[in-house]
Amino acid sequence: MSKSNKTLNTFNKLKRLPFGKKIFSYVVSKVAPYFSTINPHITTLTPNYCECLIKKQKKVFNHIQTVHVIAICNGLEMAMGVMAEASIPPSLRWIPKGMSVDYTAKAGSDIRCVASVSAEDWKPGDMLVNVTAYDENSIVVVKGHIKLWISEKPIKETE
């Protein structure tokens, strides 16, 4: 991981400010607007690890007033994307290829979405990012992985 990573540097600067993490989360939701549907809050971001909080609120409920699994998947995808942007070596790029999750328990509280990989995983080819969603009692409510395609960035030609 390069020390000049823009995403990680921005998070680290903003987290020192009042509401800095909320500001960072808002900016990410403006870059990728679909994430704003869950009002996400990035709480932790380090190389190869990210946590995103989804508050239990009516707009993310399903028919039994628990957090809808698609809202949780959205939070897991946001955690994965921010983690990837903050962690990927500068010579590589990523794109998601798929998601596989299991619903393991009802999501009846705020949900903490976690995405993590090992530093050694960053190499060209398929890469599985572990994603897990926890309720407020640290019970796993969704668990799985998001598959990324990692490739070399094209070399830019100078004119």
Side-chain angles (χ1 to χ4, degrees), residues 19-76:
F19 306 106
K21 291 178 183 178
K22 286 189 178 201
I23 293 166
F24 179 82
S25 302
Y26 176 80
V27 170
V28 171
S29 293
K30 286 299 178 190
V31 173
Y34 188 72
F35 292 138
S36 68
T37 63
I38 58 168
N39 285 348
H41 182 117
I42 300 294
T43 57
T44 305
L45 179 60
T46 60
N48 307 307
Y49 185 88
C50 182
E51 289 189 12
C52 173
L53 182 68
I54 302 171
K55 290 286 203 177
K56 182 181 176 190
Q57 56 189 327
K58 189 173 183 173
K59 74 186 229 170
V60 297
F61 282 177
N62 57 22
H63 65 289
I64 58 171
Q65 282 70 53
T66 59
V67 180
H68 195 288
V69 73
I70 298 303
I72 295 170
C73 287
N74 195 3
L76 291 170

Side-chain angles (χ1 to χ4, degrees), residues 68-146:
H68 195 288
V69 73
I70 298 303
I72 295 170
C73 287
N74 195 3
L76 291 170
E77 187 175 14
M78 181 174 184
M80 176 281 302
V82 172
M83 179 279 302
E85 285 297 312
S87 307
I88 194 165
S91 64
L92 300 176
R93 60 187 178 175
W94 65 274
I95 189 165
K97 284 182 67 176
M99 176 184 251
S100 177
V101 295
D102 292 317
Y103 315 158
T104 56
K106 285 184 183 177
S109 67
D110 294 349
I111 301 298
R112 180 172 48 99
C113 298
V114 177
S116 64
V117 295
S118 296
E120 306 81 53
D121 293 340
W122 293 105
K123 55 188 174 226
D126 285 341
M127 181 176 86
L128 297 180
V129 177
N130 296 314
V131 292
T132 309
Y134 302 89
D135 71 7
E136 63 189 6
N137 296 312
S138 293
I139 294 171
V140 174
V141 297
V142 175
K143 185 167 183 61
H145 64 266
I146 298 174

